[in-house]
Amino acid sequence: MTLAFGAIGFVIVLWWSATGAIFYLDRLPRRALAWSITAATVVLIASLVGLGASAQVATPVGAFAAFACAIGIWGWNELLFLTGAITGPNREPAARGLSGWPRFRAAAASVIHHEVVIAASGVAVAALSAAGPNRVGLWTFLVLWAMRLSAKLNIFVGVPNPGERFLPDHLAYLAGHFRTAPVGAFFAVSITLATGALALIAAFGAGQEPSAFEVAGVTLVATLLALAVVEHVFLALPWDSAALWGGKRLSRPSGDVNSRCDESDPKRLLHPAEA
């Protein structure tokens, strides 16, 4: 029980501090961009090496190490995206009235390069994890990948709180692909599937005595998935989750796109170019 509680605390602290660190680095002056990416790349290399080593260690320490390394690899991907270093070929606000397949294609073109890099990172994580019995790093990365993709699709389809305030000013054009709307069937399905997956993970080992490694690994992955579900819930709430990091946002208040849009129609696309 102590091991499980320790794993839960570890995930919460690492999730909160890693997200805060990415926010901090991306709020630095643009001239510090190269230093931020360099520092993140050093973390990436260390994480890849650490993941390969920890994959051979099926112990609680190995589970914690693999989890932390997967977070480090994911953090590199997130920082490159938020700094604008890797996004997509389309860096223009969405055209007014765009809908259906053209809207999806425009939105996908805004992030496709980043998605390709994430996929390549996933292949690397899978290859390193396959070398040993410790697959905690792989499952951690897959949870992050699946839930981030789910969040992106929900923001595209439409949620009450798409979180455009988390976009730095140089990525404000991405808010044009967000849709502010009441939660619908897609959100319900997303939450249901994620919650069902969480229940399956939590039920692992029921009726038997799991090893300490299994307890640590399952608790780490389950806690991360639970936090991702909570982040999804934030999308449906009128509460600014930036308060979790002292109220800091990546964008400046003056760059708040949503405040300059007609709020009478919740399904209207946001147009940062008009701000």
Side-chain angles (χ1 to χ4, degrees):
M1 187 62 71
T2 300
L3 178 59
F5 281 127
I8 292 172
F10 180 77
V11 175
I12 293 174
V13 170
L14 186 58
W15 167 78
W16 182 84
S17 59
T19 303
I22 291 174
F23 283 3
Y24 172 77
L25 290 174
D26 199 55
R27 288 176 64 91
L28 293 175
R30 300 299 292 167
R31 61 179 179 274
L33 174 62
W35 290 104
S36 297
I37 294 177
T38 299
T41 302
V42 171
V43 172
L44 169 69
I45 295 172
S47 296
L48 290 170
V49 174
L51 183 63
S54 61
Q56 307 295 329
V57 184
T59 65
V61 172
F64 278 77
F67 180 87
C69 289
I71 295 294
I73 296 168
W74 185 263
W76 176 80
N77 282 276
E78 285 291 285
L79 183 66
L80 260 63
F81 176 73
L82 289 173
T83 56
I86 298 179
T87 53
N90 179 22
R91 300 203 176 197
E92 298 295 329
R96 183 185 295 275
L98 201 62
S99 62
W101 173 249
R103 176 174 175 253
F104 178 82
R105 187 172 58 186
S110 296
V111 297
I112 190 62
H113 292 166
H114 182 240
E115 297 300 324
V116 171
V117 172
I118 289 180
S121 299
V123 171
V125 170
L128 291 170
S129 299
N134 183 355
R135 307 289 174 82
V136 173
L138 175 59
W139 284 108
T140 298
F141 193 90
L142 290 177
V143 166
L144 289 167
W145 192 357
M147 294 305 287
R148 178 61 73 195
L149 181 59
S150 173
K152 287 177 180 177
L153 290 174
N154 271 287
I155 289 171
F156 173 81
V157 172
V159 288
N161 183 20
E164 71 282 347
R165 292 190 177 191
F166 281 103
L167 290 173
D169 293 335
H170 54 273
L171 294 181
Y173 65 90
L174 290 175
H177 304 293
F178 295 1
R179 187 186 293 276
T180 302
V183 294
F186 187 80
F187 182 84
V189 171
S190 300
I191 289 292
T192 300
L193 290 176
T195 304
L198 179 60
L200 289 175
I201 295 173
F204 174 83
Q208 58 181 334
E209 189 66 28
S211 66
F213 165 69
E214 291 172 334
V215 170
V218 169
T219 305
L220 289 166
V221 175
T223 303
L224 180 65
L225 179 54
L227 288 174
V229 171
V230 171
E231 287 185 331
H232 271 58
V233 173
F234 286 161
L235 298 175
L237 298 177
W239 179 65
D240 189 358
S241 56
L244 291 172
W245 294 273
K248 294 180 179 179
R249 302 183 180 90
L250 292 181
S251 59
R252 296 187 294 270
S254 61
D256 182 3
V257 177
N258 204 30
S259 65
R260 305 196 180 204
C261 292
D262 181 6
E263 297 180 353
S264 63
D265 182 3
K267 294 186 178 181
R268 175 180 173 178
L269 288 175
L270 304 178
H271 296 282
E274 299 173 6

